[in-house]
Amino acid sequence: MIIIKTDSEIERLRRGGPVLARILREVAAVVRPGVTTDELDKLTRSLMEKEGVTPAFLGYRPDGADRPYPAALITSVNEEVVHGIPNSRILKVGDIISLDTGINFEGVYLDHAVTVPVGEIGAKDKELLSATEAALEVGIEAAQAGNTTGDIGHNIQSAIPKKFGIVRTLSGHGVGRTIHEDPYVPNYGKPGKGAALKPGMVIAIEPMITRGSEEVVLLDDGYTLVTEDRSRAAHFEHTVLITEKGPEVLTK
Ligand code: MG
């Protein structure tokens, strides 16, 4: 069921979005060679505590998972597409890392991710990051009342260079009353198809793009998804409110 948010929920989402954006910006700012993904998670937890918000992913148990997610931050390095668990891994020059996190702010949920370079990265990775971020932007442009989720997916798909892969088994989603709601927001699609977008809907748009295969494989930890061919992947995400006047990015 697609939930149209109440005025009170929208008001809180509008205040919570910038809080989440600030937290993720601060975490991204400390990414550099020598830092571990555990340290990034610790910083995320302390910033959330300071802001008086609750981590949305810590203790969250997705369908099919045999244990709850153990961290506040999701850290997916290089060939890891999404759902990487922070650990003692030390980031190296030339790595890329997706930082994905969500909060419960006064009872409403927001979701946001960026992929950032670790020191100087190669030209192909730079292109991957900028193409994925640009695809998120054109996806957001299609998030108009009267459009559909297919319009968003079509825009994203059209913006991605053919040499890159679009992960199709994962998608964006509704968000707000919980961290994952209807509808699915795929990163490919046909104009006019899928769920109709209406004012008051809140969706997370999140292209997951690879330098190779579109297929992902689950690691033994039960969470981390890597590309089947171990090519590198990027992931950017914003929580977006559909309004009469157009898309409103909440997490900025
Ligand atoms: Mg998400």
Side-chain angles (χ1 to χ4, degrees), residues 100 111 173 180 204 206 237:
D100 184 358
D111 197 355
H173 50 90
H180 290 120
E206 51 175 325
E237 174 177 30

Side-chain angles (χ1 to χ4, degrees), residues 134-161:
L136 172 58
E137 290 307 317
V138 298
I140 291 168
E141 280 168 24
Q144 309 276 349
N147 276 0
T148 65
T149 52
D151 291 303
I152 296 173
H154 178 75
N155 264 18
I156 291 172
Q157 181 177 22
S158 307
I160 295 297

Side-chain angles (χ1 to χ4, degrees), residues 119-192:
E120 187 63 23
I121 59 169
K124 285 175 182 164
D125 287 335
K126 277 185 193 162
E127 192 189 350
L128 174 71
L129 265 52
S130 53
T132 308
E133 194 168 15
L136 172 58
E137 290 307 317
V138 298
I140 291 168
E141 280 168 24
Q144 309 276 349
N147 276 0
T148 65
T149 52
D151 291 303
I152 296 173
H154 178 75
N155 264 18
I156 291 172
Q157 181 177 22
S158 307
I160 295 297
K162 289 280 170 280
K163 63 184 172 186
F164 291 151
I166 299 172
V167 177
R168 289 161 195 264
T169 50
L170 298 162
S171 72
H173 50 90
V175 60
R177 221 166 271 182
T178 62
I179 194 73
H180 290 120
E181 299 173 356
D182 290 337
Y184 287 109
V185 184
N187 295 306
Y188 61 93
K190 293 204 169 76

Side-chain angles (χ1 to χ4, degrees), residues 57 74 82-83 100-101 110-113 171-175 179-180 204-206 208 235 237-239:
F57 297 144
I74 298 172
V82 285
H83 306 168
D100 184 358
T101 190
L110 295 123
D111 197 355
H112 183 28
S171 72
H173 50 90
V175 60
I179 194 73
H180 290 120
I205 304 176
E206 51 175 325
M208 290 156 266
H235 171 218
E237 174 177 30
H238 271 306
T239 296

Side-chain angles (χ1 to χ4, degrees), residues 27-157:
V27 175
V30 307
V31 168
R32 61 177 182 279
V35 167
T36 68
T37 52
D38 260 341
E39 287 166 348
L40 299 174
D41 180 54
K42 280 208 186 70
L43 175 61
T44 304
R45 293 183 198 219
S46 75
L47 291 170
M48 286 182 182
E49 197 179 323
K50 207 167 76 186
E51 297 276 6
V53 300
T54 311
F57 297 144
L58 179 64
Y60 178 73
R61 191 166 174 165
D63 285 344
D66 61 1
R67 61 177 171 139
Y69 187 75
L73 181 68
I74 298 172
T75 54
S76 307
V77 182
N78 297 341
E79 74 282 0
E80 298 170 355
V81 182
V82 285
H83 306 168
I85 301 173
N87 57 24
S88 57
R89 179 174 187 159
I90 299 168
L91 296 176
K92 302 192 310 289
V93 176
D95 285 344
I96 57 173
I97 179 171
S98 157
L99 306 168
D100 184 358
T101 190
I103 56 171
N104 177 334
F105 176 88
E106 297 180 17
V108 293
Y109 288 86
L110 295 123
D111 197 355
H112 183 28
V114 292
T115 301
V116 294
V118 182
E120 187 63 23
I121 59 169
K124 285 175 182 164
D125 287 335
K126 277 185 193 162
E127 192 189 350
L128 174 71
L129 265 52
S130 53
T132 308
E133 194 168 15
L136 172 58
E137 290 307 317
V138 298
I140 291 168
E141 280 168 24
Q144 309 276 349
N147 276 0
T148 65
T149 52
D151 291 303
I152 296 173
H154 178 75
N155 264 18
I156 291 172
Q157 181 177 22

